[in-house]
Amino acid sequence: MQLNIKDKFNTQLPADTATEHSRRQVTGACFSYVTPKRTKKPELIHTSKEMLDELGLTITDSKNDVFLKAFTGNSILPNTKPYAMCYGGHQFGNWAGQLGDGRAINLCEVEHNNKNWALQLKGAGETPYSRTADGLAVLRSSIREYLCSEAMYHLGVPTTRALSLALSGDRVLRDVMYNGNPAYEKGAIVCRAAESFLRFGNYQIFAARQDLKNLKKLVDYTIKHHFSHLGQPSKETYVAFFGDVANRTLKMIIHWQRVGFVHGVMNTDNMSILGLTIDYGPYGWLEGFDFGWTPNTTDRQYKRYRYGNQPNIGLWNLLQLANALYPLIEDAPTLEAILNDYKTNFDRASLKMMRSKLGLTLELDTDKTLIQELEDVLQLTETDMTIFFRKLGDFNSNETPENGLQGIHDVFYKPEQVSGKIKEQWHIWFKKYADRLQKETIVFNERKQQMHRVNPKYVLRNYMAQLAIDKADEGDYTLIDELYQLLKKPYDEQPEYNKWFTKRPEWARHKVGCSMLSCSS
Ligand code: AMP
Ligand code: MG
């Protein structure tokens, strides 16, 4: 196995001088050296062919014992020094102090085809940042992270990637719903990959500790390696850096809204500085279109991270990052202007995205209202978001509102509710939509094709991941591969997979793992 290893983070930034794994506050350092835990019986379940390619590896490499041992933490690649990163963060709106890689261990960085890849194991044992937990991950959450990060990549959403999914052979104790019923589960390790795993929290921790020397070191490092287009570090460059992060964050969240992805835990330690979707925990996919929905039971009370609030939280998190960078910039109005721009840019980008979902190529003033009215009507009764937008491409401007509603009859979870006022509202909306389409010059087929490129046919519905998990628990990994293959082409018709183009089955409505998820992974 030949990897072009080019470590930067752990060779250019200050290291923790202590090397034991004991839980502690780590100051004056960006990371701590750690050794992954040896596991009882490592066994590879799946590898991503696309990610192997990115690293310059082959399928044959992935079948080698060297690969298995390296990506389950059972041996350390030559000339590498694994480490855990130090970061802090705001959790659910409150400053939580030091958090850090408690169950993630960075192996090394690889350069291939002019791209930098940090490789990181999730679930490979404790680090100084493990706090009260064990540093391990269970099979269920590892399958969810593995499948979803690759699915998001194929959907065109900026994301961290996944290289491999393996069983550790060890058992891990978890209280899934935090209700005093702990049970043993199979342990697993995902190797994930990203240009960098730096988060807002990496900068926040230095600012909180008033360690400006290391804050500057880390920001300069980030600009040099990941934002080099901005030029040499200076106050102006720091401002541009913040502006760039704001833009990337905005783009990422627009994509989430487009595909109906709800992250679930948008704490500032889970916000990538590169604008990548990171830390797949209690995330979920909208089934019924609902701005108020969150999959995370831990957030049940206030629903801070609900679907409709993700754009605002992006802004709130950026404000925290601005506060952290402030000592290097000392210019509040400029930072505030960037935050204000986020709001206007978001509205503009959101309108553009929604126009594309509706197949509108002209920009008319009335579009905003049409879109708002659609969002309202979608929430009158539980209406499947993915199937609705996919089927909307079949609607032609010369059809009647009755035809329009007929064409989407199977998107409603409670079809009996689509009568009276609700039916009327739908008719009114389809009439307006038909009128609006009349103004377009683009022909039906072309519009349909364009819409199908932004409205996926297949997403990783919560129950689908759960079915794959249930089978994997019994040692059958075929469904993991089936979903992996399906989600490589989410915008294609793939009629052979039509059974996945259906609403969530009723049995999954209140099942743990399907509609309810906790952070306990
Ligand atoms: P999360 O909400 O999953 O992003 O995790 C928040 C913090 O808790 C991070 O610093 C994690 O590293 C840490 N953490 C979560 N689960 C574990 C675990 N099983 N062992 C150690 N640390 C953990
Ligand atoms: Mg996290």
Side-chain angles (χ1 to χ4, degrees), residues 22-170:
S22 62
R23 274 78 161 163
R24 57 198 141 84
Q25 292 294 308
V26 174
T27 55
C30 289
F31 64 92
S32 307
Y33 289 114
V34 289
T35 311
K37 180 178 178 281
R38 286 190 167 269
T39 76
K40 199 163 172 190
K41 197 169 169 290
E43 191 188 326
L44 213 52
I45 294 180
H46 209 276
T47 46
S48 160
K49 165 80 172 63
E50 293 71 30
M51 204 44 234
L52 286 169
D53 289 346
E54 292 280 3
L55 297 172
L57 296 179
T58 62
I59 297 271
T60 316
D61 288 327
S62 72
K63 300 216 161 112
N64 196 303
D65 203 43
V66 178
F67 184 96
L68 172 70
K69 287 209 170 110
F71 296 116
T72 53
N74 284 288
S75 71
I76 292 172
L77 291 162
N79 305 315
T80 65
K81 286 184 88 178
Y83 59 97
M85 288 157 99
C86 178
Y87 53 79
H90 280 87
Q91 297 186 311
F92 297 95
N94 304 304
W95 175 245
Q98 177 181 299
L99 297 167
D101 285 333
R103 64 174 154 182
I105 296 182
N106 298 272
L107 295 180
C108 60
E109 287 172 89
V110 170
E111 236 177 63
H112 187 66
N113 284 342
N114 292 319
K115 273 198 214 160
N116 190 70
W117 290 103
L119 299 179
Q120 184 179 83
L121 300 183
K122 193 161 171 183
E126 58 185 15
T127 77
Y129 311 99
S130 297
R131 299 185 294 157
T132 56
D134 54 13
L136 303 176
V138 293
L139 181 58
R140 111 186 103 80
S141 64
S142 305
I143 292 173
R144 284 170 48 81
E145 169 135 19
Y146 180 80
L147 283 177
C148 199
S149 41
E150 288 302 279
M152 290 283 268
Y153 168 71
H154 294 294
L155 280 164
V157 184
T159 178
T160 61
R161 304 284 305 276
L163 172 67
S164 57
L165 168 67
L167 286 170
S168 63
D170 296 316

Side-chain angles (χ1 to χ4, degrees), residues 326-343:
Y326 178 78
L328 302 183
I329 296 170
E330 293 178 312
D331 177 358
T334 305
L335 291 171
E336 277 162 15
I338 293 174
L339 293 169
N340 281 329
D341 282 350
Y342 173 96
K343 285 185 235 167

Side-chain angles (χ1 to χ4, degrees), residues 348-477:
R348 199 176 307 137
S350 176
L351 180 59
K352 185 168 175 224
M353 178 272 285
M354 286 306 290
R355 275 199 182 104
S356 73
K357 286 183 81 67
L358 294 179
L360 309 178
T361 62
L362 304 174
E363 296 184 3
L364 302 190
D365 289 343
T366 49
D367 292 348
K368 219 174 169 166
T369 316
L370 181 74
I371 288 162
Q372 259 161 17
E373 286 170 355
L374 173 62
E375 288 166 351
D376 290 344
V377 77
L378 278 170
Q379 294 179 92
L380 292 176
T381 173
E382 199 179 2
T383 308
D384 195 274
M385 173 180 180
T386 305
I387 307 179
F388 170 77
F389 280 103
R390 187 73 183 186
K391 291 214 160 164
L392 194 62
D394 293 330
F395 183 70
N396 207 336
S397 57
N398 56 18
E399 288 183 77
T400 62
E402 288 75 15
N403 277 341
L405 191 54
Q406 183 53 34
I408 58 158
H409 72 278
D410 57 353
V411 306
F412 301 109
Y413 282 86
K414 294 175 185 132
E416 69 281 3
Q417 292 187 352
V418 189
S419 63
K421 271 238 145 28
I422 295 184
K423 194 170 179 178
E424 201 180 304
Q425 292 292 318
W426 269 112
H427 284 162
I428 293 172
W429 189 80
F430 267 112
K431 171 83 178 76
K432 287 192 181 174
Y433 183 49
D435 289 347
R436 174 62 184 83
L437 290 182
Q438 299 275 353
K439 302 198 171 90
E440 288 286 326
T441 47
I442 184 172
V443 297
F444 170 72
N445 263 330
E446 207 178 316
R447 173 169 64 245
K448 180 168 168 167
Q449 273 181 26
Q450 283 189 10
M451 287 171 79
H452 281 190
R453 283 199 287 271
V454 290
N455 296 325
K457 180 171 178 185
Y458 304 102
V459 295
L460 183 63
R461 288 171 188 270
N462 314 309
Y463 87 90
M464 290 161 67
Q466 190 58 38
L467 287 175
I469 289 165
D470 290 345
K471 280 212 161 167
D473 258 334
E474 297 160 8
D476 177 352
Y477 309 120

Side-chain angles (χ1 to χ4, degrees), residues 390 452 457-458 489-495:
R390 187 73 183 186
H452 281 190
K457 180 171 178 185
Y458 304 102
K489 292 179 180 152
Y491 301 101
D492 288 9
E493 285 301 325
Q494 303 191 80

Side-chain angles (χ1 to χ4, degrees), residues 179-234:
N179 58 3
N181 292 308
Y184 279 103
E185 298 184 44
K186 290 181 186 176
I189 298 172
V190 168
C191 177
R192 52 184 191 176
E195 181 186 325
S196 164
F197 286 99
L198 279 165
R199 303 136 189 274
F200 290 9
N202 290 81
Y203 307 86
Q204 285 186 285
I205 191 75
F206 287 131
R209 288 169 170 166
Q210 298 183 341
D211 181 350
L212 301 189
K213 190 179 97 206
N214 281 311
L215 174 66
K216 183 171 181 319
K217 257 190 205 163
L218 183 61
V219 171
D220 289 355
Y221 171 92
T222 311
I223 292 172
K224 179 174 172 201
H225 292 292
H226 307 294
F227 294 78
S228 57
H229 57 281
L230 299 178
Q232 293 299 315
S234 68

